[in-house]
Amino acid sequence: MYTKPEDFAKSGFNFALFYANTTFDGIERLALLNLAAARSVFEAAMSNLNTLLGAKDVQSFVAIQKELAAPSIEKGMEYSRNVIAIASETKDKIAKEVESQVAETNAKVSGLVEKALESAPVGSEAAVAAVKSAIKTANEAYEGLNKAAKQAAEVAEASVAAATSATLKAANVVAVPKTAAKKAA
């Protein structure tokens, strides 16, 4: 089967549509998450304000304020996890499609090159070998870059997970002195 330039253009156009739709889907999901988070923050703030207004003295006000802080931190962490999940899913969909497009394009280009090289004049074996070597080197470079990008993404995700864990532990440490203070009293 002969690959025409129009096939490359159509493939590129289809990928652009896929990319735009996937990106818009991720943006839409983030917007809905942000709206839900804004509503939740507003409702929690009103509830917390009513609770704080019920404090009888400064000590009870401070105690209530500390009790209200832990759920807010947990909600913030959950929001962060959701944002990261949406971004990661969107990135994964696009990366998978890019890999597929690159593999398809490589196959088409290799087919075109092979067809062109078959009709190369006698005595051009060195040039044919050089072209094949260049294609092989380009493919290996792409695979190396792809592997490095995946490793970088894994490191970033692990760093976010570690930061989330550390934040939750820090929030629990903040809650522990409150409990210890009650026991001491």
Side-chain angles (χ1 to χ4, degrees), residues 2 21 40 44 54 70 87 91 104 149 161 167 171 175-176:
Y2 175 69
N21 286 329
S40 176
K91 173 199 62 89
E104 183 180 322
T167 302
V176 170

Side-chain angles (χ1 to χ4, degrees), residues 130-151:
V131 169
K132 286 183 178 182
S133 176
I135 290 173
K136 181 180 176 189
T137 302
N139 285 337
E140 289 171 354
Y142 169 76
E143 288 174 13
L145 288 173
N146 195 23
K147 184 177 178 182
K150 285 181 182 180
Q151 288 174 342

Side-chain angles (χ1 to χ4, degrees), residues 24-107:
F24 285 134
D25 178 56
I27 291 169
E28 180 181 25
R29 290 174 59 201
L30 283 172
L32 292 173
L33 177 65
N34 286 334
L35 286 172
R39 179 183 305 261
S40 176
V41 166
F42 177 74
E43 290 171 355
M46 292 300 107
S47 174
N48 292 349
L49 182 60
N50 283 333
T51 303
L52 287 170
L53 290 174
K56 305 215 186 283
D57 58 16
V58 173
Q59 287 178 338
S60 64
F61 181 83
V62 171
I64 291 170
Q65 199 172 22
K66 285 182 180 179
E67 287 177 24
L68 296 175
S72 296
I73 291 171
E74 290 174 15
K75 285 182 182 180
M77 296 309 297
E78 181 64 25
Y79 171 80
S80 296
R81 282 191 288 270
N82 286 333
V83 168
I84 291 166
I86 290 169
S88 180
E89 289 169 14
T90 302
K91 173 199 62 89
D92 290 345
K93 283 181 185 178
I94 291 172
K96 190 174 186 178
E97 185 65 19
V98 166
E99 285 181 24
S100 172
Q101 289 291 319
V102 167
E104 183 180 322
T105 301
N106 278 347

Side-chain angles (χ1 to χ4, degrees), residues 104-120:
E104 183 180 322
T105 301
N106 278 347
K108 288 178 182 177
V109 169
S110 292
L112 286 173
V113 169
E114 286 295 324
K115 194 170 252 224
L117 294 179
E118 285 174 4
S119 59

